[in-house]
Amino acid sequence: MEFIKLTIKNRKLISQLGKNDFKNRFANTSLGAIWGFLQPFIFMLTYAIVFQFILKTGSSGEYPYLVWFFPGMAMWQWLNDSIISASNSIIAYSYLVKKVVFPVDTIPMISIVSSSFVGLFLVIIAVVICSVFKFFPNVLLLLYVILATYCFIIAFTRFTSAITTVIPDFSNLLGILMQLFFWFTPIIWNLSMLENLPIVQKIVQCMPFTYLITALRQVFIGENIIFAEYGLYTIVFWVITLIMFIWGNSLFKRTKKDFADVL
């Protein structure tokens, strides 16, 4: 695949530009990149306090609430930031498209690398918090979840970055869709709440967002999403991811010749 070859060939450039992109987000602040880590952490902490101590949702089942909540929210923060930033990346890097001979296919990867700093930081925070409660991570499963997350983000943003570039209004629609995904994905509520709606429960379980959030939780609670009763959802996840990548890659290749004209 051309995209994979370009990404491997330009991996050092992508990595460097990704680091610069993350630093530039907070270049005009005194604390700099620290804000990039502090803001999502405070956001997660606020949600945990509100839902555990104020609303007393008790949606963690048999596990401590923080062990259930932090991995799920960490995964969502990573997915949301990566998808939104990568989808708008070609517009943000329009000067590379218009004025420089640059492998346009790899531009969304710059934003994905940039978002990885905060995403992986939040995963580390989840590891620390779960370890405090004596729920230690399954390292091999954690590596699998990280790989699956990158594959899904790349597949998803191949489509969204192309559409956002040629139809700028799609960026606003994507923001609304991500908000809907947040509330309809079991991040702050438990799938067991849908037991009386088995069809709806199955649909939610087949969503890639649900799969990744559940997978990161299972890294700490001793279950394994790859096999056993979750094996079907693993197959569904990878089929959806593969279809999205093939479709998105095809769309990207057809539309990238128009990028310079619309930017």
PDB file of all heavy atoms in Angstrom, residues 149-181:
ATOM      1  N   THR A 149      -5.696   0.653  18.824  1.00  0.00           N
ATOM      2  CA  THR A 149      -6.113   2.063  18.869  1.00  0.00           C
ATOM      3  C   THR A 149      -5.514   2.840  17.713  1.00  0.00           C
ATOM      4  O   THR A 149      -6.215   3.599  17.022  1.00  0.00           O
ATOM      5  CB  THR A 149      -5.695   2.707  20.206  1.00  0.00           C
ATOM      6  OG1 THR A 149      -6.274   1.970  21.284  1.00  0.00           O
ATOM      7  CG2 THR A 149      -6.160   4.152  20.282  1.00  0.00           C
ATOM      8  N   TYR A 150      -4.225   2.664  17.478  1.00  0.00           N
ATOM      9  CA  TYR A 150      -3.571   3.359  16.364  1.00  0.00           C
ATOM     10  C   TYR A 150      -4.185   2.939  15.027  1.00  0.00           C
ATOM     11  O   TYR A 150      -4.438   3.779  14.158  1.00  0.00           O
ATOM     12  CB  TYR A 150      -2.065   3.076  16.360  1.00  0.00           C
ATOM     13  CG  TYR A 150      -1.281   3.979  17.266  1.00  0.00           C
ATOM     14  CD1 TYR A 150      -0.556   3.478  18.343  1.00  0.00           C
ATOM     15  CD2 TYR A 150      -1.237   5.354  17.041  1.00  0.00           C
ATOM     16  CE1 TYR A 150       0.171   4.304  19.179  1.00  0.00           C
ATOM     17  CE2 TYR A 150      -0.503   6.194  17.877  1.00  0.00           C
ATOM     18  CZ  TYR A 150       0.192   5.660  18.940  1.00  0.00           C
ATOM     19  OH  TYR A 150       0.911   6.493  19.758  1.00  0.00           O
ATOM     20  N   CYS A 151      -4.431   1.654  14.872  1.00  0.00           N
ATOM     21  CA  CYS A 151      -5.004   1.166  13.611  1.00  0.00           C
ATOM     22  C   CYS A 151      -6.374   1.776  13.367  1.00  0.00           C
ATOM     23  O   CYS A 151      -6.687   2.194  12.240  1.00  0.00           O
ATOM     24  CB  CYS A 151      -5.110  -0.369  13.638  1.00  0.00           C
ATOM     25  SG  CYS A 151      -3.522  -1.217  13.530  1.00  0.00           S
ATOM     26  N   PHE A 152      -7.195   1.844  14.411  1.00  0.00           N
ATOM     27  CA  PHE A 152      -8.534   2.409  14.248  1.00  0.00           C
ATOM     28  C   PHE A 152      -8.480   3.906  13.950  1.00  0.00           C
ATOM     29  O   PHE A 152      -9.198   4.401  13.070  1.00  0.00           O
ATOM     30  CB  PHE A 152      -9.374   2.159  15.494  1.00  0.00           C
ATOM     31  CG  PHE A 152     -10.720   2.836  15.433  1.00  0.00           C
ATOM     32  CD1 PHE A 152     -11.711   2.347  14.594  1.00  0.00           C
ATOM     33  CD2 PHE A 152     -10.974   3.967  16.196  1.00  0.00           C
ATOM     34  CE1 PHE A 152     -12.942   2.987  14.516  1.00  0.00           C
ATOM     35  CE2 PHE A 152     -12.206   4.605  16.117  1.00  0.00           C
ATOM     36  CZ  PHE A 152     -13.193   4.111  15.283  1.00  0.00           C
ATOM     37  N   ILE A 153      -7.646   4.633  14.678  1.00  0.00           N
ATOM     38  CA  ILE A 153      -7.536   6.087  14.458  1.00  0.00           C
ATOM     39  C   ILE A 153      -7.086   6.384  13.037  1.00  0.00           C
ATOM     40  O   ILE A 153      -7.631   7.259  12.357  1.00  0.00           O
ATOM     41  CB  ILE A 153      -6.560   6.715  15.480  1.00  0.00           C
ATOM     42  CG1 ILE A 153      -7.160   6.669  16.893  1.00  0.00           C
ATOM     43  CG2 ILE A 153      -6.249   8.164  15.102  1.00  0.00           C
ATOM     44  CD1 ILE A 153      -6.185   7.075  17.977  1.00  0.00           C
ATOM     45  N   ILE A 154      -6.086   5.647  12.564  1.00  0.00           N
ATOM     46  CA  ILE A 154      -5.586   5.856  11.200  1.00  0.00           C
ATOM     47  C   ILE A 154      -6.684   5.552  10.190  1.00  0.00           C
ATOM     48  O   ILE A 154      -6.908   6.319   9.242  1.00  0.00           O
ATOM     49  CB  ILE A 154      -4.352   4.979  10.947  1.00  0.00           C
ATOM     50  CG1 ILE A 154      -3.163   5.475  11.784  1.00  0.00           C
ATOM     51  CG2 ILE A 154      -3.970   4.991   9.461  1.00  0.00           C
ATOM     52  CD1 ILE A 154      -1.972   4.541  11.779  1.00  0.00           C
ATOM     53  N   ALA A 155      -7.382   4.436  10.380  1.00  0.00           N
ATOM     54  CA  ALA A 155      -8.452   4.055   9.448  1.00  0.00           C
ATOM     55  C   ALA A 155      -9.572   5.090   9.442  1.00  0.00           C
ATOM     56  O   ALA A 155     -10.059   5.497   8.382  1.00  0.00           O
ATOM     57  CB  ALA A 155      -8.999   2.681   9.827  1.00  0.00           C
ATOM     58  N   PHE A 156      -9.977   5.529  10.622  1.00  0.00           N
ATOM     59  CA  PHE A 156     -11.079   6.482  10.747  1.00  0.00           C
ATOM     60  C   PHE A 156     -10.720   7.829  10.118  1.00  0.00           C
ATOM     61  O   PHE A 156     -11.533   8.434   9.403  1.00  0.00           O
ATOM     62  CB  PHE A 156     -11.419   6.675  12.228  1.00  0.00           C
ATOM     63  CG  PHE A 156     -12.729   7.356  12.477  1.00  0.00           C
ATOM     64  CD1 PHE A 156     -13.905   6.627  12.541  1.00  0.00           C
ATOM     65  CD2 PHE A 156     -12.799   8.729  12.675  1.00  0.00           C
ATOM     66  CE1 PHE A 156     -15.123   7.247  12.778  1.00  0.00           C
ATOM     67  CE2 PHE A 156     -14.008   9.358  12.911  1.00  0.00           C
ATOM     68  CZ  PHE A 156     -15.177   8.617  12.973  1.00  0.00           C
ATOM     69  N   THR A 157      -9.509   8.302  10.384  1.00  0.00           N
ATOM     70  CA  THR A 157      -9.130   9.643   9.918  1.00  0.00           C
ATOM     71  C   THR A 157      -8.687   9.678   8.458  1.00  0.00           C
ATOM     72  O   THR A 157      -8.564  10.764   7.895  1.00  0.00           O
ATOM     73  CB  THR A 157      -8.018  10.236  10.808  1.00  0.00           C
ATOM     74  OG1 THR A 157      -6.888   9.337  10.848  1.00  0.00           O
ATOM     75  CG2 THR A 157      -8.520  10.455  12.224  1.00  0.00           C
ATOM     76  N   ARG A 158      -8.461   8.531   7.844  1.00  0.00           N
ATOM     77  CA  ARG A 158      -8.213   8.540   6.395  1.00  0.00           C
ATOM     78  C   ARG A 158      -9.450   9.084   5.687  1.00  0.00           C
ATOM     79  O   ARG A 158      -9.354   9.818   4.705  1.00  0.00           O
ATOM     80  CB  ARG A 158      -7.905   7.132   5.874  1.00  0.00           C
ATOM     81  CG  ARG A 158      -6.545   6.594   6.219  1.00  0.00           C
ATOM     82  CD  ARG A 158      -5.424   7.412   5.649  1.00  0.00           C
ATOM     83  NE  ARG A 158      -5.233   7.157   4.213  1.00  0.00           N
ATOM     84  CZ  ARG A 158      -4.440   7.893   3.447  1.00  0.00           C
ATOM     85  NH1 ARG A 158      -3.821   8.946   3.946  1.00  0.00           N
ATOM     86  NH2 ARG A 158      -4.292   7.596   2.175  1.00  0.00           N
ATOM     87  N   PHE A 159     -10.610   8.704   6.203  1.00  0.00           N
ATOM     88  CA  PHE A 159     -11.867   9.182   5.634  1.00  0.00           C
ATOM     89  C   PHE A 159     -12.172  10.614   6.071  1.00  0.00           C
ATOM     90  O   PHE A 159     -12.433  11.497   5.243  1.00  0.00           O
ATOM     91  CB  PHE A 159     -13.006   8.257   6.064  1.00  0.00           C
ATOM     92  CG  PHE A 159     -14.383   8.800   5.791  1.00  0.00           C
ATOM     93  CD1 PHE A 159     -14.898   8.808   4.505  1.00  0.00           C
ATOM     94  CD2 PHE A 159     -15.149   9.322   6.822  1.00  0.00           C
ATOM     95  CE1 PHE A 159     -16.165   9.320   4.246  1.00  0.00           C
ATOM     96  CE2 PHE A 159     -16.412   9.831   6.576  1.00  0.00           C
ATOM     97  CZ  PHE A 159     -16.916   9.829   5.283  1.00  0.00           C
ATOM     98  N   THR A 160     -12.138  10.866   7.387  1.00  0.00           N
ATOM     99  CA  THR A 160     -12.580  12.164   7.902  1.00  0.00           C
ATOM    100  C   THR A 160     -11.662  13.311   7.486  1.00  0.00           C
ATOM    101  O   THR A 160     -12.132  14.428   7.272  1.00  0.00           O
ATOM    102  CB  THR A 160     -12.684  12.128   9.431  1.00  0.00           C
ATOM    103  OG1 THR A 160     -11.419  11.745   9.999  1.00  0.00           O
ATOM    104  CG2 THR A 160     -13.757  11.140   9.870  1.00  0.00           C
ATOM    105  N   SER A 161     -10.350  13.067   7.374  1.00  0.00           N
ATOM    106  CA  SER A 161      -9.437  14.143   6.976  1.00  0.00           C
ATOM    107  C   SER A 161      -9.682  14.568   5.534  1.00  0.00           C
ATOM    108  O   SER A 161      -9.598  15.762   5.197  1.00  0.00           O
ATOM    109  CB  SER A 161      -7.974  13.709   7.156  1.00  0.00           C
ATOM    110  OG  SER A 161      -7.678  12.560   6.377  1.00  0.00           O
ATOM    111  N   ALA A 162     -10.003  13.605   4.671  1.00  0.00           N
ATOM    112  CA  ALA A 162     -10.289  13.925   3.266  1.00  0.00           C
ATOM    113  C   ALA A 162     -11.588  14.707   3.142  1.00  0.00           C
ATOM    114  O   ALA A 162     -11.655  15.734   2.446  1.00  0.00           O
ATOM    115  CB  ALA A 162     -10.354  12.643   2.442  1.00  0.00           C
ATOM    116  N   ILE A 163     -12.642  14.240   3.837  1.00  0.00           N
ATOM    117  CA  ILE A 163     -13.941  14.902   3.761  1.00  0.00           C
ATOM    118  C   ILE A 163     -13.877  16.311   4.351  1.00  0.00           C
ATOM    119  O   ILE A 163     -14.427  17.268   3.792  1.00  0.00           O
ATOM    120  CB  ILE A 163     -15.013  14.071   4.494  1.00  0.00           C
ATOM    121  CG1 ILE A 163     -15.286  12.767   3.739  1.00  0.00           C
ATOM    122  CG2 ILE A 163     -16.305  14.864   4.637  1.00  0.00           C
ATOM    123  CD1 ILE A 163     -15.887  12.970   2.367  1.00  0.00           C
ATOM    124  N   THR A 164     -13.203  16.455   5.495  1.00  0.00           N
ATOM    125  CA  THR A 164     -13.107  17.764   6.144  1.00  0.00           C
ATOM    126  C   THR A 164     -12.393  18.779   5.254  1.00  0.00           C
ATOM    127  O   THR A 164     -12.740  19.967   5.254  1.00  0.00           O
ATOM    128  CB  THR A 164     -12.359  17.638   7.482  1.00  0.00           C
ATOM    129  OG1 THR A 164     -13.060  16.740   8.335  1.00  0.00           O
ATOM    130  CG2 THR A 164     -12.241  18.987   8.184  1.00  0.00           C
ATOM    131  N   THR A 165     -11.423  18.317   4.482  1.00  0.00           N
ATOM    132  CA  THR A 165     -10.662  19.230   3.620  1.00  0.00           C
ATOM    133  C   THR A 165     -11.510  19.755   2.468  1.00  0.00           C
ATOM    134  O   THR A 165     -11.483  20.951   2.169  1.00  0.00           O
ATOM    135  CB  THR A 165      -9.413  18.522   3.067  1.00  0.00           C
ATOM    136  OG1 THR A 165      -8.629  18.017   4.156  1.00  0.00           O
ATOM    137  CG2 THR A 165      -8.558  19.501   2.256  1.00  0.00           C
ATOM    138  N   VAL A 166     -12.271  18.890   1.833  1.00  0.00           N
ATOM    139  CA  VAL A 166     -13.067  19.311   0.668  1.00  0.00           C
ATOM    140  C   VAL A 166     -14.439  19.859   1.079  1.00  0.00           C
ATOM    141  O   VAL A 166     -15.053  20.623   0.333  1.00  0.00           O
ATOM    142  CB  VAL A 166     -13.237  18.151  -0.337  1.00  0.00           C
ATOM    143  CG1 VAL A 166     -11.884  17.742  -0.900  1.00  0.00           C
ATOM    144  CG2 VAL A 166     -13.926  16.950   0.301  1.00  0.00           C
ATOM    145  N   ILE A 167     -14.922  19.475   2.265  1.00  0.00           N
ATOM    146  CA  ILE A 167     -16.202  19.985   2.772  1.00  0.00           C
ATOM    147  C   ILE A 167     -15.966  20.484   4.203  1.00  0.00           C
ATOM    148  O   ILE A 167     -16.177  19.741   5.171  1.00  0.00           O
ATOM    149  CB  ILE A 167     -17.303  18.906   2.758  1.00  0.00           C
ATOM    150  CG1 ILE A 167     -17.410  18.245   1.386  1.00  0.00           C
ATOM    151  CG2 ILE A 167     -18.653  19.509   3.158  1.00  0.00           C
ATOM    152  CD1 ILE A 167     -18.400  17.107   1.332  1.00  0.00           C
ATOM    153  N   PRO A 168     -15.514  21.725   4.388  1.00  0.00           N
ATOM    154  CA  PRO A 168     -15.153  22.240   5.720  1.00  0.00           C
ATOM    155  C   PRO A 168     -16.265  22.112   6.759  1.00  0.00           C
ATOM    156  O   PRO A 168     -15.985  21.948   7.951  1.00  0.00           O
ATOM    157  CB  PRO A 168     -14.815  23.712   5.436  1.00  0.00           C
ATOM    158  CG  PRO A 168     -14.367  23.721   4.008  1.00  0.00           C
ATOM    159  CD  PRO A 168     -15.231  22.699   3.325  1.00  0.00           C
ATOM    160  N   ASP A 169     -17.527  22.174   6.336  1.00  0.00           N
ATOM    161  CA  ASP A 169     -18.636  22.048   7.287  1.00  0.00           C
ATOM    162  C   ASP A 169     -18.638  20.693   8.002  1.00  0.00           C
ATOM    163  O   ASP A 169     -19.215  20.557   9.089  1.00  0.00           O
ATOM    164  CB  ASP A 169     -19.977  22.227   6.573  1.00  0.00           C
ATOM    165  CG  ASP A 169     -20.249  23.688   6.215  1.00  0.00           C
ATOM    166  OD1 ASP A 169     -19.493  24.554   6.695  1.00  0.00           O
ATOM    167  OD2 ASP A 169     -21.188  23.955   5.450  1.00  0.00           O
ATOM    168  N   PHE A 170     -18.010  19.711   7.389  1.00  0.00           N
ATOM    169  CA  PHE A 170     -17.975  18.381   8.000  1.00  0.00           C
ATOM    170  C   PHE A 170     -17.243  18.400   9.337  1.00  0.00           C
ATOM    171  O   PHE A 170     -17.524  17.580  10.208  1.00  0.00           O
ATOM    172  CB  PHE A 170     -17.299  17.380   7.060  1.00  0.00           C
ATOM    173  CG  PHE A 170     -17.297  15.967   7.581  1.00  0.00           C
ATOM    174  CD1 PHE A 170     -18.438  15.185   7.513  1.00  0.00           C
ATOM    175  CD2 PHE A 170     -16.152  15.427   8.151  1.00  0.00           C
ATOM    176  CE1 PHE A 170     -18.448  13.885   8.024  1.00  0.00           C
ATOM    177  CE2 PHE A 170     -16.144  14.126   8.646  1.00  0.00           C
ATOM    178  CZ  PHE A 170     -17.295  13.357   8.581  1.00  0.00           C
ATOM    179  N   SER A 171     -16.331  19.353   9.504  1.00  0.00           N
ATOM    180  CA  SER A 171     -15.600  19.471  10.772  1.00  0.00           C
ATOM    181  C   SER A 171     -16.558  19.728  11.930  1.00  0.00           C
ATOM    182  O   SER A 171     -16.420  19.138  13.012  1.00  0.00           O
ATOM    183  CB  SER A 171     -14.565  20.596  10.687  1.00  0.00           C
ATOM    184  OG  SER A 171     -13.908  20.764  11.925  1.00  0.00           O
ATOM    185  N   ASN A 172     -17.547  20.606  11.704  1.00  0.00           N
ATOM    186  CA  ASN A 172     -18.542  20.881  12.745  1.00  0.00           C
ATOM    187  C   ASN A 172     -19.435  19.679  12.994  1.00  0.00           C
ATOM    188  O   ASN A 172     -19.780  19.362  14.140  1.00  0.00           O
ATOM    189  CB  ASN A 172     -19.397  22.086  12.335  1.00  0.00           C
ATOM    190  CG  ASN A 172     -18.584  23.362  12.231  1.00  0.00           C
ATOM    191  OD1 ASN A 172     -17.753  23.643  13.083  1.00  0.00           O
ATOM    192  ND2 ASN A 172     -18.802  24.129  11.177  1.00  0.00           N
ATOM    193  N   LEU A 173     -19.799  18.982  11.906  1.00  0.00           N
ATOM    194  CA  LEU A 173     -20.616  17.778  12.053  1.00  0.00           C
ATOM    195  C   LEU A 173     -19.863  16.707  12.825  1.00  0.00           C
ATOM    196  O   LEU A 173     -20.431  16.022  13.682  1.00  0.00           O
ATOM    197  CB  LEU A 173     -21.013  17.246  10.671  1.00  0.00           C
ATOM    198  CG  LEU A 173     -21.801  15.923  10.649  1.00  0.00           C
ATOM    199  CD1 LEU A 173     -23.110  16.059  11.416  1.00  0.00           C
ATOM    200  CD2 LEU A 173     -22.053  15.469   9.226  1.00  0.00           C
ATOM    201  N   LEU A 174     -18.572  16.575  12.541  1.00  0.00           N
ATOM    202  CA  LEU A 174     -17.753  15.581  13.231  1.00  0.00           C
ATOM    203  C   LEU A 174     -17.698  15.875  14.728  1.00  0.00           C
ATOM    204  O   LEU A 174     -17.760  14.955  15.550  1.00  0.00           O
ATOM    205  CB  LEU A 174     -16.342  15.546  12.646  1.00  0.00           C
ATOM    206  CG  LEU A 174     -15.367  14.550  13.278  1.00  0.00           C
ATOM    207  CD1 LEU A 174     -15.865  13.123  13.097  1.00  0.00           C
ATOM    208  CD2 LEU A 174     -13.976  14.695  12.666  1.00  0.00           C
ATOM    209  N   GLY A 175     -17.588  17.160  15.077  1.00  0.00           N
ATOM    210  CA  GLY A 175     -17.579  17.526  16.492  1.00  0.00           C
ATOM    211  C   GLY A 175     -18.861  17.108  17.190  1.00  0.00           C
ATOM    212  O   GLY A 175     -18.833  16.603  18.321  1.00  0.00           O
ATOM    213  N   ILE A 176     -19.998  17.291  16.509  1.00  0.00           N
ATOM    214  CA  ILE A 176     -21.279  16.880  17.073  1.00  0.00           C
ATOM    215  C   ILE A 176     -21.353  15.358  17.196  1.00  0.00           C
ATOM    216  O   ILE A 176     -21.803  14.818  18.214  1.00  0.00           O
ATOM    217  CB  ILE A 176     -22.439  17.392  16.193  1.00  0.00           C
ATOM    218  CG1 ILE A 176     -22.499  18.920  16.227  1.00  0.00           C
ATOM    219  CG2 ILE A 176     -23.775  16.795  16.646  1.00  0.00           C
ATOM    220  CD1 ILE A 176     -23.488  19.524  15.258  1.00  0.00           C
ATOM    221  N   LEU A 177     -20.881  14.661  16.155  1.00  0.00           N
ATOM    222  CA  LEU A 177     -20.909  13.195  16.179  1.00  0.00           C
ATOM    223  C   LEU A 177     -20.052  12.640  17.308  1.00  0.00           C
ATOM    224  O   LEU A 177     -20.446  11.670  17.975  1.00  0.00           O
ATOM    225  CB  LEU A 177     -20.421  12.645  14.828  1.00  0.00           C
ATOM    226  CG  LEU A 177     -21.358  12.843  13.638  1.00  0.00           C
ATOM    227  CD1 LEU A 177     -20.689  12.374  12.353  1.00  0.00           C
ATOM    228  CD2 LEU A 177     -22.678  12.101  13.853  1.00  0.00           C
ATOM    229  N   MET A 178     -18.898  13.253  17.547  1.00  0.00           N
ATOM    230  CA  MET A 178     -18.025  12.778  18.619  1.00  0.00           C
ATOM    231  C   MET A 178     -18.680  12.992  19.984  1.00  0.00           C
ATOM    232  O   MET A 178     -18.510  12.178  20.901  1.00  0.00           O
ATOM    233  CB  MET A 178     -16.666  13.469  18.551  1.00  0.00           C
ATOM    234  CG  MET A 178     -15.833  13.088  17.320  1.00  0.00           C
ATOM    235  SD  MET A 178     -15.565  11.300  17.137  1.00  0.00           S
ATOM    236  CE  MET A 178     -14.491  10.963  18.548  1.00  0.00           C
ATOM    237  N   GLN A 179     -19.434  14.088  20.134  1.00  0.00           N
ATOM    238  CA  GLN A 179     -20.177  14.294  21.379  1.00  0.00           C
ATOM    239  C   GLN A 179     -21.236  13.209  21.569  1.00  0.00           C
ATOM    240  O   GLN A 179     -21.433  12.695  22.681  1.00  0.00           O
ATOM    241  CB  GLN A 179     -20.833  15.666  21.367  1.00  0.00           C
ATOM    242  CG  GLN A 179     -19.859  16.825  21.470  1.00  0.00           C
ATOM    243  CD  GLN A 179     -20.571  18.169  21.466  1.00  0.00           C
ATOM    244  OE1 GLN A 179     -21.648  18.328  22.048  1.00  0.00           O
ATOM    245  NE2 GLN A 179     -19.987  19.152  20.816  1.00  0.00           N
ATOM    246  N   LEU A 180     -21.915  12.869  20.472  1.00  0.00           N
ATOM    247  CA  LEU A 180     -22.929  11.800  20.552  1.00  0.00           C
ATOM    248  C   LEU A 180     -22.278  10.461  20.877  1.00  0.00           C
ATOM    249  O   LEU A 180     -22.806   9.682  21.692  1.00  0.00           O
ATOM    250  CB  LEU A 180     -23.689  11.719  19.229  1.00  0.00           C
ATOM    251  CG  LEU A 180     -24.595  12.910  18.894  1.00  0.00           C
ATOM    252  CD1 LEU A 180     -25.189  12.741  17.496  1.00  0.00           C
ATOM    253  CD2 LEU A 180     -25.704  13.056  19.930  1.00  0.00           C
ATOM    254  N   PHE A 181     -21.138  10.176  20.230  1.00  0.00           N
ATOM    255  CA  PHE A 181     -20.428   8.929  20.521  1.00  0.00           C
ATOM    256  C   PHE A 181     -20.022   8.865  21.989  1.00  0.00           C
ATOM    257  O   PHE A 181     -20.046   7.792  22.603  1.00  0.00           O
ATOM    258  CB  PHE A 181     -19.180   8.802  19.640  1.00  0.00           C
ATOM    259  CG  PHE A 181     -19.474   8.321  18.239  1.00  0.00           C
ATOM    260  CD1 PHE A 181     -18.948   8.982  17.132  1.00  0.00           C
ATOM    261  CD2 PHE A 181     -20.250   7.199  18.020  1.00  0.00           C
ATOM    262  CE1 PHE A 181     -19.214   8.546  15.842  1.00  0.00           C
ATOM    263  CE2 PHE A 181     -20.528   6.746  16.738  1.00  0.00           C
ATOM    264  CZ  PHE A 181     -20.003   7.428  15.644  1.00  0.00           C
TER     265      PHE A 181
END
